[in-house]
Amino acid sequence: MKRKDPPTAQASPAKAPKHRVEVEELEEESRFWERRAGMILEVKLRNFMCHELYHFIPNQRLTFLSGENGSGKSAVLTAIVFALGGSARTSNRGSSNKGFIRTGQNSAVVEIKLLNVGESSYKPDLYGESITVRRTVTQSSSTYKILDHMGKVVVEKKVREELDRILMSFNIQVDNPIAVLNQDTAKTFLFKCEPDKLYTFFMRATQLESCKNDYNAAAVEKVQSETFLTEKTKSLPELKRELEKWEKKYQFHMNLNTRRGDVKAKKGELSWAVVRDWEGELEEERKKVEVENRKLPLCERNIEKNGDEEKNMRERKKEVEGEIQSIAKNQEGEETKLRELKQEFTAKNEIAKASRKAVNVLKRNQETIEKEKTALSEEIERLRATGTAEYEEKHRVRVEQIRKTEEMVAALGAQSETSSNHLNHLQANSRETEVRVMQLKADKQREWGKAMKTQQELEALKKGGKNKLAAFGPWMPKVVTEINKNKKFRSPPIGPLGAHINVKEGTSENIAKAIEGELGGLMHSFLVSCSQDQKELFNLFSKLGLPQKPSIFTCPFTESRHDIQAKRVDTDMFPVLIDYVDIEDSNVFNRVVDSGSLERILFIPTTGEAESVLSKPELIPTNTLHATVANSYQYYPAPNYRSYYKEDRSRGLLKANIEELVEQYKQQLAQEELQEREVEKLIKQANEERMNHMKQIDAEERKLKLVRDKIRVKNNEILNLKNEEENEAPPDISALEDDLDSRKESLDVVVTKLDEENVKCITTTETAQAAKNAFTEADQSNAARREGVEPLSGELEQLENGIKKAKRDKEHYMTKRDEYKEKITKYEKEVEEKEERLGELVEKAKYWSEERIQSRKKVDSLKREVVKMEESLKQQEETQEPRELVTQKFDSLSKVYERARAQVKYMDETVTFLESMLLQRKHGFKIIRNTTSKNINRNFTTQLNARKYIGKLEFDHHAHTLTIIVNPDSKAAAAALDLKRDIRSLSGGEKSYSSVSLILALWNAMTPPFRVLDEFDVFMDAVNRRVSLDNIINYASDDRKFQFIFLTPLNTDNIGISNDLKIIKLYKRAS
């Protein structure tokens, strides 16, 4: 077939499209057509079914996509359904999504952009005016991404849940035939026109089928609740009888508690009696201490008295001895003293002469200063007679210049400070950018390392061929081969254990990941039957030089499996991991149970469900160890309720074949390389930002240097002006006046010193005369000193005898004091010990009785009473079960009974409420169904009138049938004769027109934003097709609310084109 160049090219010119598109549009003004959230803006296909690359851009009003069979029209419809969450079964295109991948390719991508405006828009502040859904399918998986109007990925995790919310907001149901009607559905429901098929089509199109299924499910749940309520109600009487039995035992123990209280009171009386006796002994010891303490002050006073007497006599003895020694010394050195007095007289006489000389010098200085003072006074008087007008004018101008220059310096200083602050900010920003660059480089290195590791593991898997053991490490096949060759093992080791563990068919990928995550290192472990085999296997690992030695478990091999029913989690609410593994070897199964405890681990899809169940003890399934939640968290049940983040490190080792594992590694490698490139882009951006900061810093430094140079120039100008001021100043009268004042001050100082020196001269003269007189007196007193020595010797002897007596008395009283203190210390220690013991006895007594009990009984008598009461109580206790057991059992049964009674009451109220609600909803469902049926029948009749057909829709809701009754004969008489004409007797065109009329009638009842029909007109004749197309186009043009896309293999040349209607033609690619 000849290839044509269509007016509208494909989305990407890089590759030749498989199909050519021809668009015929006519530009003209049209009335407003409402834009609704959910309308399709564009659809992009890459390697999808027969399309290598195709860009479909429909009108948001009416679009016809025409082309002969095999041109790819239905592929566009399938792409729309697939991108919006449908599957191969939904679109009747096989059973596997990988069948959508174009032959010879590894993956296919479909991207659909939806309008996001109006009242039904979804998060417009986040997504903008459009939402793009991108779905990729590979040979092993299918993934989603949701992008905003700028093409930025908004959601990457839990994308399917977000897509469901978007579709609900837009009122899009891709499985609703009234919104998307494919070829197979049209043939099954419409063109065959079987009543039961038509009724099913009606129920699905109006979503009444979905509503009916929900009500049926609610009814089943109500029946289950009633059954459970009946079982609970039957168990209440038996539970109550058991509670009453333990209540009697509990009351008996309560009576025993009264007896125990009596024993406790008697022990309290005994304890306080012991305290009473001990307090008496303590009081006796305190009296002894008090007696000895009264003796101490008398000893202290006598010690102090004798000590003072001894001290006074020793001081007097010292004075007497000093006087005697002084007399002896003075007498021996009389001649020396006389010589010293003579020398002193000579020295002082010289000082008096020097003072008289200084007085003469000061008088001469006084005369000189008085002459200088007179000269300065005369010069000052002369200068005051002259003037300084010219200097004053220059002085004023220079002062003004200095002021203005200083203001400029201040302004430049403020500018310098601002520039300096800006420079500091720029430098700080530059440093922050450098730190960010370093961090990003570290991130890039880390991402590169992850990608290299994944690349190495991928290469190792490829080298291993189809051997699944290579998934456990590149060295694992060699390890297993060497184990099989070794004949020294008593029993061949089993491993790696992961190779013997499979997940059951149909297990979801999330549960498989959870199982692998819980098993962890156990997947690479080995089992041996004895310690000798363990040593042999360990030596084998060492010989092979493994980078990581697998764990080795030793236990005798057996053919019997562990019975896990008693320990398994008892629940039907959530999956138990052990139920999804398939392990043939009993030894591997037993090791998984012992080390992995999968029978006690739940898988819960969402954190909300985990929190609501595991945080409440009454809802926790029995034997629950913990739960794996969303493959990212571990939740532990109450009473030690807690949760931990757990990184998903599963590698898909439980996959069925090595090809899927290799594909997974490829996807992981591509993602890590993409992340590395993203980090590299960020590094480039950060470096550009840093260079920008450096340029700004250089510019600011140059600006700051220029300002500082200006400041330096202005400061030099100020300095020059000040120097001119000093150089041009006239003789300063004030300076001469200052000199005059200085001379006056100097004159005053000289006069003062002269007066002082005169006084000093008189004083030194008198001192010299006094020294002379002292020398004369010393010579005369020398003889008189020798006569006073003998009376002092007698007094010294008396003092020595008194000192000996006082010392002896003092030592006597000190000895007595030490004896008293020793006794006091001894008694105080005994008091302290008794007080400590008394404190212990008081605490013990308070244990038995907080209030003090006064008793006159003796301790021994009370002890006998206590022993007698305890023996009697013990005999009664031995005849009954332990009190702790009875109390625990009674409390436990009380809580269980109350909880069961409350549950029964709540469940009874709930069942009653459910029953009433179901009756109301069943009645409401019938009303809605009847109203919808009448509405659609009326719309159907209106559509038939366009061709002057007579007909109606007959609904039989009991038999679940819908019969289309149509008579195309416009003659009233003929119609009256054959009103209920069988539709199967109509021509193909008449039958197709009737089916189209039914579709239009259903469209009036439902409001999806877009409607897609595939090959709806293939069985119509030309006249009926023309009328049907006119009806559809008129219906859409008059309503002007929704988007319509029609796929047809027939000619569209006779369809008028306008702004409301767009025709796109597809052509087969030339072979």
Side-chain angles (χ1 to χ4, degrees), residues 329-348 771-772 774-780 782:
K329 185 177 181 181
N330 289 338
Q331 190 173 0
E332 291 174 357
E334 186 67 26
E335 294 298 329
T336 303
K337 185 176 181 181
L338 288 174
R339 286 194 297 271
E340 291 176 353
L341 288 173
K342 185 176 180 180
Q343 292 174 357
E344 181 181 358
F345 163 67
T346 304
K348 290 181 178 180
K772 181 179 179 182
F775 171 71
T776 303
E777 291 176 0
D779 185 39
Q780 295 176 355
N782 187 29

Coordinates of all heavy atoms in Angstrom, one line a residue, residues 329-348 771-772 774-780 782:
K329 N 74.6 43.6 128.9 CA 75.1 43.9 127.6 C 75.4 45.4 127.5 O 76.4 45.8 126.8 CB 73.9 43.6 126.6 CG 74.3 43.8 125.1 CD 73.2 43.4 124.2 CE 73.5 43.6 122.8 NZ 72.4 43.2 121.9
N330 N 74.6 46.3 128.1 CA 74.9 47.7 128.1 C 76.2 48.0 128.7 O 76.9 48.9 128.3 CB 73.7 48.5 128.7 CG 72.5 48.4 127.9 OD1 72.5 48.2 126.7 ND2 71.3 48.6 128.5
Q331 N 76.4 47.3 129.8 CA 77.7 47.6 130.5 C 78.9 47.2 129.7 O 79.9 47.9 129.7 CB 77.7 46.9 131.9 CG 78.8 47.3 132.8 CD 78.6 46.6 134.2 OE1 77.7 45.9 134.4 NE2 79.6 46.9 135.1
E332 N 78.8 46.1 129.0 CA 79.9 45.6 128.2 C 80.1 46.5 127.0 O 81.3 46.7 126.6 CB 79.6 44.2 127.7 CG 79.6 43.1 128.8 CD 79.2 41.8 128.3 OE1 78.8 41.7 127.1 OE2 79.2 40.8 129.1
G333 N 79.0 47.1 126.4 CA 79.2 47.9 125.2 C 79.1 49.4 125.4 O 78.7 50.1 124.5
E334 N 79.5 49.8 126.6 CA 79.4 51.3 126.9 C 80.3 52.1 126.0 O 80.0 53.1 125.5 CB 79.7 51.5 128.4 CG 79.5 52.9 128.8 CD 78.1 53.3 128.8 OE1 77.2 52.4 128.9 OE2 77.8 54.5 128.6
E335 N 81.6 51.6 125.8 CA 82.5 52.3 125.1 C 82.1 52.4 123.6 O 82.3 53.5 123.0 CB 83.9 51.7 125.2 CG 84.5 51.7 126.6 CD 84.8 53.1 127.1 OE1 85.1 54.0 126.2 OE2 84.7 53.3 128.3
T336 N 81.6 51.3 123.1 CA 81.1 51.3 121.7 C 80.0 52.3 121.5 O 80.0 53.0 120.5 CB 80.6 49.9 121.3 OG1 81.6 48.9 121.6 CG2 80.2 49.8 119.9
K337 N 79.1 52.4 122.4 CA 78.0 53.4 122.3 C 78.5 54.8 122.3 O 78.0 55.7 121.6 CB 77.0 53.1 123.4 CG 75.7 54.0 123.3 CD 74.7 53.6 124.4 CE 73.5 54.5 124.2 NZ 72.5 54.2 125.3
L338 N 79.4 55.1 123.1 CA 80.0 56.4 123.2 C 80.6 56.8 121.9 O 80.4 58.0 121.4 CB 81.0 56.5 124.4 CG 80.4 56.5 125.8 CD1 81.5 56.5 126.8 CD2 79.5 57.7 126.0
R339 N 81.3 55.9 121.2 CA 81.9 56.2 119.9 C 80.8 56.4 118.9 O 81.0 57.3 118.0 CB 82.8 55.0 119.5 CG 84.1 54.9 120.3 CD 85.1 54.0 119.6 NE 84.6 52.6 119.5 CZ 84.8 51.7 120.5 NH1 85.5 52.1 121.6 NH2 84.3 50.5 120.4
E340 N 79.8 55.6 119.0 CA 78.7 55.8 118.0 C 78.0 57.2 118.1 O 77.7 57.8 117.2 CB 77.6 54.7 118.2 CG 78.1 53.3 117.7 CD 77.2 52.2 118.0 OE1 76.1 52.5 118.7 OE2 77.4 51.1 117.6
L341 N 77.8 57.6 119.4 CA 77.2 58.9 119.6 C 78.1 60.0 119.1 O 77.6 61.0 118.5 CB 76.9 59.1 121.1 CG 75.8 58.3 121.7 CD1 75.7 58.4 123.2 CD2 74.4 58.6 121.1
K342 N 79.3 59.8 119.2 CA 80.3 60.9 118.7 C 80.2 61.0 117.2 O 80.2 62.1 116.6 CB 81.7 60.6 119.2 CG 82.7 61.6 118.8 CD 84.0 61.3 119.4 CE 85.1 62.4 119.1 NZ 86.4 62.1 119.6
Q343 N 80.2 59.8 116.5 CA 80.1 59.7 115.0 C 78.8 60.4 114.6 O 78.7 61.1 113.6 CB 80.2 58.3 114.5 CG 81.6 57.7 114.8 CD 81.6 56.2 114.4 OE1 80.6 55.7 114.0 NE2 82.8 55.6 114.5
E344 N 77.7 60.1 115.3 CA 76.4 60.6 114.9 C 76.4 62.2 115.0 O 75.9 62.8 114.1 CB 75.3 60.1 115.9 CG 73.9 60.6 115.5 CD 72.9 60.0 116.5 OE1 73.2 59.2 117.4 OE2 71.7 60.4 116.3
F345 N 77.0 62.7 116.0 CA 77.1 64.1 116.2 C 77.9 64.8 115.0 O 77.5 65.8 114.4 CB 77.8 64.5 117.5 CG 78.3 65.9 117.6 CD1 77.4 67.0 117.6 CD2 79.7 66.2 117.6 CE1 77.9 68.3 117.6 CE2 80.1 67.5 117.6 CZ 79.2 68.6 117.7
T346 N 79.0 64.1 114.5 CA 79.8 64.6 113.4 C 79.0 64.6 112.1 O 79.0 65.6 111.4 CB 81.0 63.8 113.2 OG1 81.8 63.7 114.5 CG2 81.9 64.3 112.1
A347 N 78.2 63.5 111.8 CA 77.4 63.4 110.6 C 76.3 64.5 110.5 O 76.1 65.1 109.5 CB 76.8 62.0 110.5
K348 N 75.6 64.7 111.6 CA 74.5 65.7 111.6 C 75.0 67.1 111.5 O 74.3 67.9 110.9 CB 73.7 65.5 112.9 CG 72.9 64.2 113.0 CD 72.1 64.1 114.2 CE 71.3 62.8 114.2 NZ 70.4 62.7 115.4
A771 N 72.5 65.8 119.3 CA 73.4 64.7 119.3 C 74.6 64.9 120.2 O 75.1 64.0 120.9 CB 73.9 64.4 117.8
K772 N 75.0 66.1 120.2 CA 76.1 66.5 121.1 C 75.7 66.3 122.6 O 76.4 65.7 123.4 CB 76.5 67.9 120.8 CG 77.7 68.4 121.7 CD 78.1 69.8 121.4 CE 79.3 70.3 122.3 NZ 79.6 71.7 122.0
A774 N 73.3 64.2 123.7 CA 73.1 62.8 124.0 C 74.5 62.1 124.3 O 74.5 61.2 125.2 CB 72.5 62.1 122.8
F775 N 75.5 62.5 123.6 CA 76.8 61.9 123.9 C 77.2 62.2 125.3 O 77.7 61.4 126.0 CB 77.8 62.5 122.9 CG 79.2 62.1 123.2 CD1 79.7 60.8 123.0 CD2 80.1 63.0 123.7 CE1 81.0 60.4 123.3 CE2 81.4 62.7 124.0 CZ 81.8 61.4 123.8
T776 N 76.9 63.4 125.8 CA 77.3 63.8 127.1 C 76.5 63.0 128.2 O 77.1 62.6 129.2 CB 77.1 65.3 127.3 OG1 77.9 66.0 126.3 CG2 77.6 65.8 128.7
E777 N 75.2 62.9 127.9 CA 74.3 62.2 128.9 C 74.7 60.7 129.0 O 74.6 60.1 130.1 CB 72.9 62.3 128.5 CG 72.4 63.8 128.6 CD 71.0 63.9 128.2 OE1 70.4 62.9 127.7 OE2 70.4 65.0 128.2
A778 N 75.0 60.0 127.9 CA 75.4 58.6 127.9 C 76.6 58.3 128.7 O 76.6 57.3 129.4 CB 75.6 58.1 126.5
D779 N 77.4 59.1 128.7 CA 78.7 58.9 129.5 C 78.4 59.0 131.0 O 78.9 58.3 131.8 CB 79.7 60.0 129.1 CG 81.1 59.8 129.7 OD1 81.4 58.6 129.8 OD2 81.7 60.7 130.1
Q780 N 77.4 59.9 131.3 CA 77.1 60.0 132.8 C 76.2 58.9 133.3 O 76.3 58.6 134.5 CB 76.3 61.4 132.9 CG 77.2 62.6 132.6 CD 76.4 63.9 132.7 OE1 75.2 63.8 132.9 NE2 77.0 65.0 132.6
N782 N 76.2 55.6 132.5 CA 76.9 54.3 132.4 C 77.1 53.7 133.8 O 76.9 52.5 134.0 CB 78.2 54.4 131.7 CG 78.8 53.0 131.4 OD1 78.1 52.1 131.3 ND2 80.1 53.0 131.3

